[in-house]
Amino acid sequence: MVADASLGLHNPLGLLAELTHRCPLGCPYCSNPLALDPRESELATPTWARVFTEAAALGVLQVHLSGGEPGARRDLVAITAAAHAAALYTNLITSAVGITANSLRQLAEAGLDHVQISIQDSEHASADRIAGYVGAFARKRALAAAVVNLKIPLTVNVVVHRANIDRIEQMVALALALGASRVEIAHVQYYGWALQNRAALMPSAEQVARATEAVDELRRRHHGEIVIDAVVPDYYARLPKPCIGGWGRRSLNVTPAGKVLPCHAAESIPGLEFWSVREHSLDDIWKNSPAFNAFRGTAWMQEPCRSCARRDIDFGGCRCQAFALTGDARATDPVCHLAPSHDDVVALAAVQEDAPYAYRRM
């Protein structure tokens, strides 16, 4: 399939580089695919260096070095140096387990620009329980201190669900205490592994309402101190979010084995053909890959999206979520109040169970 100029092809701005699916944590909302790439299939350092060079030529400005846990790669310093050499802004997304103060110093010397650390909760025991790793919380605090000591900008990412949503104020306070300049309050996305734990993770409507009020107050209170990013969780929203700014519009994702995806969860949609950087250039993939062109433009849309005034704003919502909830990736995201299946989302949000987590293990 050749790129169609009528689709209004943009240059990508961001690249998510999934260096590995290996991770010491077992988070019950893990966003990696159900079928993980084994270590032996991971791209080698020279291939990542070529990908970064091609990304920069395509217009990409920043690369997010992610996983799994990128610290599991022994060549992480060399990979970071290659991204820096390609003139990309480098952001390390880490669990903090696997990155030491010494390795962080080497990463800084290699050109690392920014660090994002995930925090599971503000309470030590709860954080370790959610992560499925004893000692994780202490490791995160230690790495955050090392990041700030090296004067590297720090973002704290908090994945919010029923077990921690009532402590948003405390988690923002923790981010401030750690020296973060930004905190991302990210609600669980229910596809992939998180679907297995949906009832155990789903917050109540009352919790979401309290959290929304808390975020508004915290933004007023800490204006000028820290940036607080937060959105209404999908299952309690009235309108869908534009999936990654629109499918194949502004970002791309390279898996550990080299497949290039329009979004992080795209492999959950069966029937899509994903091209690999092992056989194609990034430019060719961006313009001509069948997977990238599958949901570009509006021709693929069904009603009510096709005639909706918001079709060029939210692009029909999340394709992966549409498939997960309806079995049809072309359907209107059921989060939308206009979607024929919206009542199903309302019903699913009401299902909450105090059940043990099914932890993610590789």
Side-chain angles (χ1 to χ4, degrees), residues 77-146:
V77 173
I79 289 174
T80 302
H84 179 72
L88 297 174
Y89 185 89
T90 56
N91 175 35
L92 177 67
I93 301 176
T94 178
S95 70
V97 179
I99 305 291
T100 65
N102 182 55
S103 60
L104 178 66
R105 189 176 300 106
Q106 294 178 50
L107 289 167
E109 292 170 353
L112 182 64
D113 294 301
H114 183 275
V115 174
Q116 175 180 307
I117 297 177
S118 62
I119 299 290
Q120 278 68 34
D121 204 338
S122 57
E123 296 182 352
H124 188 143
S126 176
D128 284 358
R129 182 183 68 84
I130 294 167
Y133 187 101
V134 176
F137 186 75
R139 299 280 289 272
K140 294 168 187 291
R141 295 197 67 138
L143 184 65

Side-chain angles (χ1 to χ4, degrees), residues 18-19 21 37 41-44 47-48 50-51 253-261 267 274-280 282 285:
E18 292 184 287
L19 305 181
H21 281 153
D37 292 340
S41 72
E42 293 172 3
L43 296 178
T47 305
W48 277 116
R50 173 177 61 80
V51 168
N253 176 78
V254 180
T255 71
K259 289 182 183 178
V260 186
L261 316 178
E267 287 178 292
F274 301 106
W275 288 1
S276 171
V277 295
R278 299 181 192 271
E279 290 89 33
H280 298 267
L282 214 56
I285 294 170

